[in-house]
Amino acid sequence: MMPMGTQEKPSSLENAVFYVGLLVFMGLVGYLVFQIFSNDALPADLTVHFERLPEEECGFEVRVFNKGETTAEAIDIVMDLEQSGEKVGEIEAQIDYLPIQSERRLRIKFENTNGRCDSLVLSSVVFMEP
């Protein structure tokens, strides 16, 4: 039992744990501050691939990939249907949200083309970054 008015000194183990914890905490705060000021995230990188659907006369599967490090929002894709190099139709597809490193699949079928479709050509891709 200790006499009144005296304080017990912390042991060396308690001191070591305190300083290691303080060092870890300060390191995490420093890292977060560094991340705030050096935001080097690559923008969204959208790629679009087309594949003809064999069971559909003028049907295509469209795959949109986001290979970037930022989410893409309000994506607007315009594609032209061509026959022998001549534009015979146009379609616009919209995707609300495409997260980082993800993919969306769309199925497109053109009606009233009278079999006049041999290729789908990407006309434009427009998107917003949050």
Side-chain angles (χ1 to χ4, degrees):
M1 187 157 167
M2 296 184 78
M4 246 177 129
T6 61
Q7 290 183 341
E8 180 181 335
K9 286 189 169 185
S11 70
S12 58
L13 179 61
E14 289 174 326
N15 283 334
V17 168
F18 171 77
Y19 288 115
V20 167
L22 184 63
L23 182 67
V24 168
F25 176 74
M26 294 304 289
L28 286 173
V29 169
Y31 176 74
L32 291 174
V33 169
F34 173 76
Q35 287 296 317
I36 288 170
F37 291 111
S38 68
N39 188 5
D40 294 338
L42 297 174
D45 179 17
L46 301 184
T47 57
V48 181
H49 297 281
F50 306 112
E51 187 174 313
R52 188 83 183 252
L53 294 173
E55 66 272 4
E56 299 285 342
E57 184 178 329
C58 283
F60 295 88
E61 181 180 68
V62 180
R63 295 184 350 218
V64 183
F65 299 94
N66 183 359
K67 296 181 179 179
E69 295 181 10
T70 305
T71 298
E73 293 180 352
I75 304 159
D76 189 26
I77 304 167
V78 178
M79 298 159 280
D80 296 331
L81 181 66
E82 292 188 353
Q83 174 67 34
S84 302
E86 180 184 326
K87 181 177 171 181
V88 294
E90 178 180 278
I91 193 162
E92 183 176 341
Q94 295 163 344
I95 301 172
D96 293 330
Y97 178 79
L98 191 59
I100 300 167
Q101 302 295 323
S102 65
E103 168 188 2
R104 280 289 154 88
R105 292 175 185 248
L106 309 168
R107 287 185 171 253
I108 297 171
K109 181 178 179 187
F110 289 90
E111 299 289 336
N112 303 326
T113 59
N114 300 325
R116 296 183 55 207
C117 58
D118 62 8
S119 62
L120 195 59
V121 178
L122 181 64
S123 180
S124 69
V125 176
V126 178
F127 63 91
M128 293 175 39
E129 291 180 352

